[in-house]
Amino acid sequence: MDALFTNVEIEINSHCNLACSYCPNSISSRIEKGNMSHEVYHQIIIQLKKIEFKGEISFSFYNEPLLCPNLEAFVSKASTELPKANLIIYTNGTYLTKDKVEGLMQVGLNELIVTKHEKIKDYIFDEVYKDLSDEQLALVKFRSYSDINLTNRGGLLPHIGGPIPALSPCMIPQFLLSLTILGNVIGCFEDYKQTLQMGNVMKQDLIEIWNNESYREFRKDLKHGLRHKYESCKNCNRIQVLPPN
């Protein structure tokens, strides 16, 4: 049995209000659209509770999570059921007010990573950030898009970066589990088109999906740099050997 995942990415909604040049949303749209149902989210959290998950959970894929109407309820449930997990929201900050920061902190969010993206006019969070209390500032990491390690997103954005050496390993599948709004588990968060689906949380337990033969083979192949075997990997220029800090 392979080592268990330490990071879980949950797509609680599919929409984003931006279309940045370094994101596939600028050229395409998500296959699955809408908001994650309470039923699907419940299954994910309960199954993570069974294994006493205490790693990192983020509420994103290619979405803006603050557009999800159930965001605070979802964070609260994860905080209650998985008290040892580290709950993170990645947001573009365009809908982030001081009250929203406080509300997310009160329901158990551990970290709020705000990225100021390209070509945004009248960016409200510039002023909101200046007005945050010390306690709220401890929750927030504010950065520019220029601080992000940009990639070509599985080859969908060939204008970003360049080729990488043959047989370059990728360790992302070793530690990260990505779930879409319908509960589909996909091989990697770079797989915008969902070309490699490993199972569905409404049909199988997460541990059963994680340990199925095709998923284990995928992790082994990527560990050895066999990217050419997979549509979402063969043109990808991300090199990640260790989990993010």
Side-chain angles (χ1 to χ4, degrees):
M1 185 177 294
D2 292 351
L4 197 60
F5 48 88
T6 58
N7 296 56
V8 176
E9 185 177 74
I10 307 173
E11 182 188 32
I12 56 173
N13 64 302
S14 64
H15 182 60
C16 182
N17 59 311
L18 302 181
C20 302
S21 64
Y22 39 85
C23 176
N25 286 329
S26 64
I27 61 169
S28 188
S29 61
R30 290 284 295 119
I31 294 171
E32 299 175 16
K33 296 180 175 65
N35 298 299
M36 178 173 281
S37 69
H38 286 280
E39 291 76 16
V40 172
Y41 188 76
H42 175 77
Q43 282 299 317
I44 294 169
I45 297 302
I46 292 304
Q47 290 181 29
L48 290 174
K49 184 178 181 179
K50 286 181 183 178
I51 60 173
E52 299 181 349
F53 183 76
K54 52 186 177 182
E56 177 180 301
I57 298 176
S58 59
F59 302 90
S60 55
F61 188 40
Y62 289 91
N63 58 323
E64 169 47 55
L66 266 69
L67 292 173
C68 178
N70 300 315
L71 177 59
E72 290 191 6
F74 283 171
V75 173
S76 179
K77 184 174 182 64
S79 178
T80 300
E81 302 291 348
L82 305 166
K84 294 183 179 181
N86 186 41
L87 308 181
I88 300 177
I89 287 177
Y90 293 85
T91 174
N92 60 41
T94 55
Y95 292 92
L96 194 55
T97 63
K98 184 175 181 178
D99 286 345
K100 179 64 72 173
V101 172
E102 179 64 24
L104 289 168
M105 186 169 64
Q106 291 301 319
V107 294
L109 189 70
N110 300 111
E111 191 171 358
L112 188 59
I113 300 178
V114 185
T115 305
K116 185 176 181 179
H117 288 286
E118 63 179 8
K119 301 177 182 178
I120 298 180
K121 297 180 179 179
D122 301 320
Y123 188 59
I124 64 167
F125 193 70
D126 280 330
E127 296 304 316
V128 171
Y129 186 68
K130 297 175 184 177
D131 193 39
L132 296 180
S133 67
D134 289 343
E135 187 179 14
Q136 292 166 339
L137 285 171
L139 180 77
V140 176
K141 178 182 179 181
F142 191 18
R143 65 183 184 179
S144 165
Y145 71 92
S146 60
D147 298 322
I148 304 173
N149 177 28
L150 298 177
T151 71
N152 65 12
R153 295 301 191 180
L156 291 178
L157 304 173
H159 63 283
I160 297 178
I164 59 175
L167 299 179
S168 294
C170 181
M171 301 299 286
I172 291 173
Q174 305 293 322
F175 63 83
L176 187 136
L177 188 81
S178 294
L179 295 121
T180 71
I181 57 173
L182 297 183
N184 289 313
V185 176
I186 57 176
C188 178
F189 62 76
E190 297 282 16
D191 189 7
Y192 182 87
K193 295 290 188 181
Q194 298 177 216
T195 61
L196 190 63
Q197 297 191 15
M198 301 298 182
N200 184 281
V201 73
M202 301 301 285
K203 299 177 181 179
Q204 297 171 284
D205 190 89
L206 280 174
I207 299 302
E208 183 181 355
I209 296 171
W210 180 256
N211 288 311
N212 71 38
E213 184 177 351
S214 59
Y215 208 166
R216 293 178 66 186
E217 181 179 3
F218 173 66
R219 292 196 294 271
K220 181 180 178 180
D221 285 343
L222 268 290
K223 183 177 181 179
H224 291 93
L226 304 181
R227 299 169 179 247
H228 63 278
K229 295 178 62 175
Y230 303 94
E231 185 65 29
S232 61
C233 304
K234 64 183 182 182
N235 296 313
C236 182
N237 63 3
R238 177 182 285 273
I239 297 180
Q240 187 156 343
V241 178
L242 298 174
N245 292 324

